[in-house]
Every structure is written in structure tokens, then in C-alpha cells.
């Protein structure tokens, strides 16, 4: 929702997926596919409000810095007024020390703001790194699945081609067998011709 732009739903969802999926094994494909689907949905949901969230967070940061600088300015003004009304040397020395401490505090606030932004970026990088790891694992599983299916397809093609060649060879052998008469019939007819030719000569 727009009221919770500082903690978008997608980032909460990515954190939940990362906590529920500690280094998902590559063999557990359904869990990895579900995690990938959740992450994709989270990214798509966050993209709808990304620019608006950036503007809201920027305005919130600027307002916080302005409030801090305003408070520091009021402290400086109070110390200056107190310094004009203070004639004691010890009091003036204390005021100078307070002004110095106030300057140190102002610089520390700026460093804290910068460090907070860097820490937030590192936390976001950690979440994105976990999400990217899930996506990389999913892509690797898809590649292995594709290679396995490709190998099975090539093996099926080889078997089909081998069966086709065997069938063609069997058909060719069958046609050759139909064209040539059987060997025993040829031998029987030859014997009959020999006997017919020999009998008249014996009778003579």
C-alpha cells in the first residue's frame, strides 16, 4: 500500500523467501520454482511504486535533516544570547566548549546520516544477492533440464532412424525373397529333366 512505501511489499516478500529458502538444493526443483515465482511477483509489484517510494524517502530524509539543522541552529542562537549576557570568564569558557561540542555534534549527525544510507544500501544488496542466487539456481536448473531433454530427444531420433533403417532392410530382403524361387524346387525340376533325358537312351 502507499501508506507503507518505506517498507514495500516486494521487499518484505523477498526477505520472507530468503529466510524460508536457505540455499535451496538444486535437486529440489519445485521449491526453487516456487521461490523464483514469488521473487518475480515481488519485483513486478515493487516496480509499480518504485519511483514514488524514491521520492517519498527522499522527502523524508530531507525533512529529517532540516529538522536536525533547525534544532542545532536554535541551540547555537541560544548559546550566542547566553554569551552576550554572561560576563564571567568561566561561563564564557563553558559556552565556548558548548559551541565546539555543538559543531562536533552537527558533523557527527551528517556522518551518521551518510552511514545510515550506506547501511540501508548494504542491507538491500544482501536481500538482492539472496534473490539473485535463487534466480541463478533456477536458471541453472532450467539449463540442466534443457540439456537432459535435448539428450533424450537425440537418443529418440537415433532409435527412430535405426528402426527405420531396419524396417527398410527387412522390406528389401522380403522383396528379394519373393522374386527368386526356392532352392529345393529348382533342384527337383533339374532331377526330373535328367531322368527324362536318360530313360530313352537306356531303352535303346
Amino acid at each position: 500500500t502507499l501508506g507503507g512505501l518505506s517498507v514495500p511489499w516486494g521487499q518484505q516478500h523477498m526477505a520472507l523467501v530468503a529466510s524460508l529458502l536457505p540455499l535451496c538444493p538444486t535437486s529440489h526443483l519445485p521449491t526453487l520454482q516456487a521461490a523464483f515465482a514469488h521473487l518475480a511477483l515481488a519485483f513486478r509489484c515493487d516496480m509499480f511504486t518504485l519511483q514514488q517510494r524514491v521520492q517519498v524517502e527522499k522527502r523524508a530524509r530531507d525533512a529529517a535533516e532540516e529538522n536536525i539543522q533547525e534544532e542545532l541552529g536554535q541551540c547555537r542562537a541560544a548559546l550566542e544570547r547566553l554569551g552576550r549576557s554572561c560576563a564571567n570568564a568561566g561561563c564564557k569558557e563553558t559556552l565556548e566548549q558548548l559551541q565546539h561540542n555543538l559543531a562536533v555534534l552537527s558533523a557527527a549527525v551528517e556522518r551518521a546520516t551518510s552511514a545510515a544510507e550506506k547501511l540501508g544500501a548494504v542491507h538491500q544488496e544482501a536481500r538482492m544477492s539472496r534473490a539473485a542466487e535463487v534466480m541463478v539456481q533456477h536458471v541453472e536448473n532450467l539449463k540442466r533440464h534443457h540439456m537432459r531433454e535435448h539428450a533424450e530427444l537425440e537418443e529418440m531420433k537415433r532409435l527412430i532412424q535405426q528402426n527405420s533403417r531396419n524396417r527398410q532392410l527387412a522390406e528389401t530382403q522380403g522383396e528379394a525373397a519373393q522374386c527368386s524361387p526356392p532352392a529345393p524346387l529348382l533342384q527337383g525340376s533339374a532331377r526330373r529333366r535328367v531322368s527324362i533325358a536318360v530313360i530313352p537312351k537306356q531303352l535303346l
Side-chain angles (χ1 to χ4, degrees), residues 77-87 91 95 98:
L79 289 177
E80 289 178 0
R81 289 194 300 271
L82 185 59
R84 288 194 296 269
S85 62
C86 182
C91 181
L95 290 176
L98 288 175

Side-chain angles (χ1 to χ4, degrees), residues 112-187:
T113 302
S114 177
E117 292 182 354
K118 292 179 180 179
L119 180 61
V122 171
H123 283 309
Q124 181 66 14
E125 182 180 354
R127 288 192 292 267
M128 295 300 296
S129 176
R130 186 67 188 94
E133 183 180 356
V134 173
M135 293 182 178
V136 168
Q137 289 183 2
H138 181 64
V139 172
E140 291 295 330
N141 278 349
L142 290 179
K143 289 171 62 178
R144 281 190 291 269
H145 184 68
H146 173 72
M147 293 176 62
R148 183 168 60 250
E149 288 190 345
H150 181 71
E152 292 176 356
L153 179 61
E154 292 296 328
E155 179 66 16
M156 187 177 298
K157 288 171 59 178
R158 187 186 67 80
L159 293 176
I160 291 174
Q161 292 175 356
Q162 183 178 356
N163 292 336
S164 177
R165 288 194 297 267
N166 293 338
R167 186 171 58 253
Q168 291 177 358
L169 181 60
E171 292 175 356
T172 303
Q173 291 177 351
E175 292 176 356
Q178 290 177 0
C179 293
S180 60
L185 295 177
L186 293 175
Q187 293 177 359

Side-chain angles (χ1 to χ4, degrees), residues 67-88:
N67 291 334
I68 292 174
Q69 293 300 327
E70 183 178 357
E71 293 294 333
L72 292 175
Q74 291 178 1
C75 290
R76 294 189 188 96
L79 289 177
E80 289 178 0
R81 289 194 300 271
L82 185 59
R84 288 194 296 269
S85 62
C86 182
N88 189 359

Side-chain angles (χ1 to χ4, degrees), residues 68-69 72 76 101-111:
I68 292 174
Q69 293 300 327
L72 292 175
R76 294 189 188 96
N101 293 340
L102 194 61
V104 172
L105 179 61
S106 177
V109 167
E110 293 180 358
R111 290 194 299 270

Side-chain angles (χ1 to χ4, degrees), residues 5 52-64 66:
L5 290 174
Q52 187 172 1
R53 283 186 288 111
V54 169
Q55 296 299 325
V56 169
E57 293 299 327
K58 184 177 180 180
R59 286 196 296 269
R61 183 202 62 185
D62 294 342
E66 290 175 0

